[in-house]
Amino acid sequence: MSTQMQESDDRWIFRGTNRRKGRHVAITPQNSQMKHLVYGRIILDAGEPRAAFSTGELETGLICLSGECTIKAAGETHRIGRYDSIYIPRATDVEVTTERAVDLVECSAEVDGKYPLQVVRYADVEGDGSLKFRTGGASNSRTVNITLGKNVQAGRILAGFTTSEPGHWTSWPPHEHASILEELYVYYDMPPPAFGVQFVYTNPEEPEFVGVVRDGDAVIMPRGFHPNVSVPGHTISFVWMMAAHREVEDRQFGVVTVQPGFDAGGSGLEASRK
């Protein structure tokens, strides 16, 4: 395992987090403004078919972006494929193996409680209108998938993925939830020349971050409104992951404050509360 660790700084974007094989932890509270959230990537193929680690004090969710793998954890063995997810409790040894190739996003946060291992099949997410839904309008249409949400017993983490229509905005209207949740986005399935623009701001007149985002980039959102937009002719796709500040109590998806002036039509996340 290779792990990027450095002194805490004020970076908002971590570039190319999908460039290395094996297991690579890219963002932690030690090298970012995150208080709880940890993001890693597990990319395996025939040349490097195995990764093993312990969750330690972290609860961990894995989302399969492509390929297939076998995961052994907590005395159980599970086979997962594209868009399937698995929740793994703290203090658990984990082994991931693949026969061909797999790309997993790893979402973690420290917890006091130990919650059960749970497998989420994407077919079950697709069949639940509060976990997969289309939202937005003429210029901000997107599909939201909640894979580790109210369907999973956990302490802090929430995760899923969103895909826009070509050239559309997402996370629109702009919203924030910094009082209960911190968040980060990881961009995927955006081959060149596709790119988007991400905003993060508490004051729209003086944004903390505005930048171009491409496949494999990750942007942290410890606070602030965080809309983004894709270039015409291309979608913007990202895994979003959040960590609750108060374990269990703050673990709530869709509880947001919409930026004043854009709040007339709701948040666009109402379906998730059903």
Side-chain angles (χ1 to χ4, degrees):
M1 180 186 87
S2 62
T3 303
Q4 171 186 316
M5 298 291 287
Q6 63 181 58
E7 295 299 319
S8 179
D9 60 23
D10 293 327
R11 275 198 297 168
W12 294 82
I13 188 165
F14 293 70
R15 300 269 184 203
T17 66
N18 61 342
R19 293 174 184 167
R20 299 161 67 176
K21 292 183 184 178
R23 178 173 178 255
H24 170 57
V25 178
I27 299 174
T28 73
Q30 287 70 47
N31 73 346
S32 74
Q33 299 174 63
M34 297 287 91
K35 294 180 178 179
H36 310 286
L37 199 54
V38 176
Y39 156 60
R41 201 69 169 256
I42 303 174
I43 299 176
L44 304 176
D45 60 16
E48 189 166 349
R50 178 182 179 274
F53 62 99
S54 176
T55 57
E57 64 182 10
L58 308 177
E59 64 178 355
T60 297
L62 301 177
I63 301 175
C64 181
L65 293 185
S66 64
E68 295 181 334
C69 67
T70 299
I71 297 174
K72 296 181 180 180
E76 302 179 21
T77 300
H78 296 279
R79 184 81 173 170
I80 67 171
R82 191 180 190 201
Y83 298 148
D84 290 341
S85 300
I86 186 169
Y87 172 89
I88 303 170
R90 59 169 291 167
T92 301
D93 292 331
V94 183
E95 181 187 56
V96 181
T97 57
T98 187
E99 296 171 359
R100 295 185 180 178
V102 71
D103 183 356
L104 301 170
V105 164
E106 179 179 333
C107 167
S108 305
E110 93 287 349
V111 287
D112 293 325
K114 191 168 185 179
Y115 309 92
L117 185 144
Q118 298 149 83
V119 176
V120 178
R121 300 296 178 190
Y122 185 57
D124 294 330
V125 172
E126 289 184 297
D128 187 330
S130 68
L131 296 177
K132 179 177 181 178
F133 54 91
R134 199 172 162 76
T135 188
S139 60
N140 61 353
S141 294
R142 71 271 193 196
T143 300
V144 178
N145 298 268
I146 305 170
T147 63
L148 299 171
K150 64 184 179 181
N151 55 327
V152 168
Q153 184 183 354
R156 292 190 195 274
I157 60 172
L158 293 159
F161 56 96
T162 296
T163 300
S164 77
E165 290 298 308
H168 282 220
W169 290 82
T170 84
S171 298
W172 193 273
H175 63 262
E176 65 88 24
H177 38 66
S179 64
I180 61 172
L181 296 160
E182 61 186 10
E183 186 169 22
L184 66 81
Y185 287 174
V186 181
Y187 294 90
Y188 77 99
D189 200 18
M190 293 173 58
F195 68 91
V197 179
Q198 177 71 58
F199 298 77
V200 184
Y201 56 87
T202 49
N203 176 0
E205 301 301 319
E206 298 179 352
E208 285 87 340
F209 175 78
V210 179
V212 169
V213 290
R214 294 185 173 87
D215 191 82
D217 292 345
V219 175
I220 64 170
M221 294 135 190
R223 60 190 177 275
F225 304 100
H226 41 270
N228 58 31
V229 62
S230 179
V231 293
H234 298 274
T235 62
I236 194 167
S237 298
F238 55 92
V239 174
W240 48 265
M241 56 184 74
M242 296 183 276
H245 294 307
R246 292 177 295 178
E247 188 169 335
V248 178
E249 186 174 355
D250 286 343
R251 188 177 178 265
Q252 303 180 64
F253 183 87
V255 178
V256 301
T257 298
V258 177
Q259 182 179 339
F262 295 106
D263 51 359
S267 69
L269 302 175
E270 287 78 10
S272 69
R273 308 298 294 173
K274 295 180 180 178

